[in-house]
């Protein structure tokens, strides 16, 4: 090897060791700085997509738009009616809680965000969203869609955040397995059940004495303090005891198709 | 050309990482995200100097890690190792042959993720690995192999479009021209 090769090798080794030796110091500074190089490209891609959306809208026949408008009006009216009922139920809930001296559960607020990028590596499940510290997003903010839970925010920069999806090792969730309105068991969504299928996750630490059946809903339990109680995570596909029968595991099909989500909601304080 | 070439390669690395993060269709169709950087490193190793190889490893690796859950810097060393190995042996490689480019692309795309996973495990991280990873590894290696000759074609065209053609001295000398007729 020539001297120049040794110098280059030494430089790369020192740089890598320096970055990997102190990940807690390097990651919060280096990652956002390098990722900021992509901001114009993400902006450009977003603009192109919006332009394509507007063009396709302009090409849609007026009759079809009118039909869609009518359907949305009906849906809006139905949702308003439901909101009135839910607000009344919430007031009643508050009154009853006050009567028996229970603390009022804090309602969470959400902000819509666009998915701007996904993890380029095959061995992590994460994505980037278009909201950052500037928009009030903090680490551990919960990310969800109307269909169910998506994950939690693990990195926040000024303009964007990285979300660890359900199934990623950085996103473990305490959940309840529901049989109708009754709690059948509780466990933890601990990781991915399949490398190639992001819709399947593994539910661990289920009691060996309780029966967990296919089709039962899996909701967040609120334990752990990150995820609010009652958000749908998915449905049990099947359960099986692990070796020595210490606990049971189940395979859960997630309620949200994580590969296809384009828009999400992020909880803000 | 000396200035343009490294800039083009680093810009291509930035674009490659952006495409990997933005376009999800390989993951939707094949459950695999294809890594575009090892093939680019093969091109850099065969056609550029050591400084460009180092620059590509550092810039490409850091860009990749910045959009991934990887710890910062974990992708730099594998890319550099591939580039250095090719750069050192390039006088023995028929770099103009598509077959050689394909084989080197296959080897680089197969080695890079394995090296990154070994580094991640050494660092105590817990990446999602299972029997399905074998499928991902196979598809990503083959796709990397198929893309590597494309890099040579695209950069060849860019080079012709953006740079001056090299000026070669001809062997023709006017003072030694055979003059016909009467003098």
């Amino acid at each position: 090897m020539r001297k120049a090769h040794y110098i280059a090798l030494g430089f790369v080794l020192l740089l890598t060791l320096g970055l990997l030796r102190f990940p807690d110091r390097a990651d919060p500074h280096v990652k956002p700085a390098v990722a900021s190089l992509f901001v114009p490209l993400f902006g450009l891609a977003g603009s192109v997509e919006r332009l394509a959306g507007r063009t396709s809208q302009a090409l849609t026949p007026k009759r079809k738009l009118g039909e869609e408008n009518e359907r949305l009006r009906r849906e809006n009216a139905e949702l308003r009616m439901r909101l009135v009922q839910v607000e009344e139920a919430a007031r009643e809930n508050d009154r009853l809680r006050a009567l028996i001296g229970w603390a009022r559960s804090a309602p969470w607020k959400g902000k819509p965000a666009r998915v701007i990028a996904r993890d380029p590596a095959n061995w992590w499940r994460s994505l980037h969203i278009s909201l950052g510290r500037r928009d009030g997003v903090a680490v551990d903010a919960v990310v969800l869609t109307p269909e169910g839970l998506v994950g939690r925010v693990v990195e926040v920069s000024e303009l964007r955040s990285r979300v660890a999806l359900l199934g990623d090792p950085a996103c473990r969730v305490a959940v309840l397995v529901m049989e109708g309105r009754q709690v059948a068991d509780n466990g933890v969504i601990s990781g991915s059940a399949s490398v190639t299928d992001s819709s399947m996750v593994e539910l661990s630490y289920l009691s060996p004495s309780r029966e967990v059946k296919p089709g039962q809903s899996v909701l967040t339990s609120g334990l752990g303090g990150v995820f609010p109680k009652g958000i749908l995570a998915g449905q049990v596909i099947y359960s099986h005891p692990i070796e020595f029968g210490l606990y049971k595991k189940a395979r859960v099909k997630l309620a949200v198709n994580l590969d296809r989500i384009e828009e999400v909601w992020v909880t803000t304080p | 050309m000396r200035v343009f070439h490294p800039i083009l390669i680093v810009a291509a690395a930035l674009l490659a990482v952006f495409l990997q993060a933005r376009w999800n269709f390989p993951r939707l169709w094949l459950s695999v995200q294809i890594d575009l950087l090892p093939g680019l490193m093969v091109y850099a190793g065969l056609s550029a100097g050591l400084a460009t190889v180092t620059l590509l490893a550092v810039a490409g690796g850091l860009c990749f890690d910045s959009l991934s859950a990887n710890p910062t810097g974990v992708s730099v060393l594998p890319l550099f190792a591939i580039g250095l190995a090719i750069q050192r042996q390039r006088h023995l490689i028929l770099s103009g042959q598509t077959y050689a480019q394909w084989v080197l692309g296959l080897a680089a795309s197969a080695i890079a993720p394995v090296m990154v996973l070994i580094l991640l495990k050494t660092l105590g991280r817990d990446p999602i690995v299972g029997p399905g990873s074998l499928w991902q590894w196979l598809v990503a290696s083959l796709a990397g192999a198929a893309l590597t000759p494309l890099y040579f074609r695209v950069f060849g065209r860019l080079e012709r479009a953006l740079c001056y053609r090299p000026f070669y001295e001809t062997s023709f000398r006017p003072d030694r021209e055979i003059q016909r007729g009467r003098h």
Side-chain angles (χ1 to χ4, degrees):
Chain A
M1 270 209 311
R2 283 190 294 129
K3 195 180 165 189
H5 287 125
Y6 282 115
I7 293 171
L9 183 63
F11 167 70
V12 170
L13 273 176
L14 274 178
L15 180 79
T16 309
L17 287 175
L19 288 169
L20 295 178
R21 180 76 184 82
F22 305 104
D24 297 337
R25 268 187 251 172
D27 279 6
H29 301 291
V30 179
K31 272 196 176 185
V34 179
S36 64
L37 291 171
F38 293 99
V39 171
L41 289 173
F42 287 133
L44 188 70
S47 306
V48 169
E49 276 173 12
R50 275 194 294 276
L51 187 70
R54 275 205 291 271
T55 311
S56 79
Q57 230 171 31
L59 294 173
T60 312
K62 248 186 176 174
R63 187 179 56 81
K64 203 174 173 185
L65 283 176
E67 280 170 12
E68 199 176 325
N69 198 8
E70 186 56 37
R71 187 181 57 78
L72 288 173
R73 268 175 207 276
R74 273 203 302 274
E75 199 176 301
N76 192 19
E78 266 177 38
L79 288 174
R80 275 169 185 276
M81 279 299 293
R82 221 177 280 177
L83 182 68
V84 171
Q85 287 171 355
V86 169
E87 276 176 346
E88 180 50 37
R91 275 196 292 273
E92 192 178 70
N93 189 316
D94 285 346
R95 275 200 305 276
L96 292 171
R97 275 177 181 272
L99 273 175
I100 57 170
W102 274 19
R104 189 171 175 266
S105 57
W108 45 266
K109 285 180 271 178
K111 275 187 178 179
R114 274 187 312 110
V115 174
I116 55 171
R118 286 164 197 277
D119 201 313
N122 283 313
W123 42 82
W124 305 117
R125 300 255 159 85
S126 71
L127 49 81
H128 294 261
I129 55 170
S130 60
L131 297 184
R133 200 176 293 120
R134 202 177 60 173
D135 308 287
V137 176
V139 169
D140 282 343
V142 178
V143 180
L144 63 163
T145 67
E147 287 81 39
L149 187 64
V150 171
R152 73 178 181 99
V153 172
V154 284
E155 274 173 24
V156 186
S157 65
E158 208 53 33
L159 297 170
R160 55 169 194 89
S161 310
R162 190 169 66 78
V163 178
L165 301 174
L166 281 175
D168 189 85
C171 185
R172 288 166 199 259
V173 190
V175 290
L176 301 171
V177 180
M178 303 298 288
E179 173 71 61
R181 294 174 65 89
Q182 301 293 315
V183 176
D185 203 348
N186 53 30
V188 177
I189 291 180
S190 54
S192 179
S194 163
V195 174
T196 49
D197 186 0
S198 66
S199 68
M200 290 289 184
V201 292
E202 202 144 73
L203 175 56
S204 304
Y205 308 117
L206 295 166
S207 168
S209 58
R210 303 238 181 125
E211 201 183 355
V212 172
K213 289 180 277 189
Q216 287 177 329
S217 303
V218 177
L219 308 179
T220 53
S221 68
L223 297 174
V226 174
F227 298 94
K229 191 178 175 181
I231 302 173
L232 180 68
Q235 259 190 351
V236 173
I237 299 295
Y238 70 87
S239 66
H240 59 97
I242 66 149
E243 237 178 323
F244 308 119
L246 289 174
Y247 60 86
K248 270 203 292 196
K249 275 186 173 181
R251 198 164 270 213
V252 173
K253 184 162 180 62
L254 295 177
V256 182
N257 186 346
L258 298 176
D259 281 337
R260 291 189 183 272
I261 42 171
E262 295 297 329
E263 276 168 0
V264 291
W265 285 81
V266 189
T267 59
T268 49
Chain B
M1 184 56 202
R2 294 297 101 207
V3 185
F4 261 126
H5 202 221
I7 293 173
L8 273 180
I9 289 177
V10 173
L14 196 80
L15 195 67
V17 175
F18 170 74
L19 288 177
Q20 274 176 252
R22 183 72 195 180
W23 274 285
N24 202 26
F25 59 87
R27 202 171 273 161
L28 290 174
W29 290 348
L30 304 164
S31 309
V32 185
Q33 187 53 274
I34 292 154
D35 193 354
L36 304 170
L37 289 177
L40 192 60
M41 185 51 94
V42 171
Y43 171 75
L46 287 175
S47 64
L50 185 63
T52 308
V53 167
T54 312
L55 190 67
L56 173 63
V58 173
L62 287 180
C63 284
F64 187 94
D65 294 338
S66 74
L67 293 183
S68 165
N70 282 344
T72 311
V74 81
S75 308
V76 175
L77 196 59
L79 276 176
F80 180 73
I82 290 165
L84 186 69
I86 293 171
Q87 225 261 341
R88 280 193 63 217
Q89 302 297 327
R90 69 174 172 183
H91 57 284
L92 301 172
I93 299 168
L94 297 168
S95 57
Q97 298 293 313
T98 306
Y99 180 70
Q101 295 163 3
W102 193 90
V103 170
L104 284 173
L106 181 75
S109 305
I111 290 166
V114 174
M115 285 175 80
V116 174
L117 282 175
I118 290 170
L119 275 175
L120 285 171
K121 283 285 183 189
T122 310
L123 292 166
R125 303 292 171 121
D126 192 18
I128 303 167
V129 184
S133 303
L134 208 62
W135 161 254
Q136 291 184 329
W137 182 66
L138 195 73
V139 174
S141 304
L142 288 172
L147 286 171
T148 306
L150 275 181
Y151 287 125
F152 283 84
R153 306 281 181 287
V154 171
F155 277 100
R157 286 198 172 188
L158 280 174
E159 211 170 295
R160 280 195 295 278
L162 296 174
C163 307
Y164 290 112
R165 296 277 175 89
F167 176 73
Y168 298 108
E169 288 274 345
T170 64
S171 56
F172 175 73
R173 283 173 57 182
D175 59 319
R176 294 185 68 184
E177 191 179 9
I178 299 168
Q179 302 280 331
R180 295 192 186 277
R182 271 192 227 156
H183 295 284

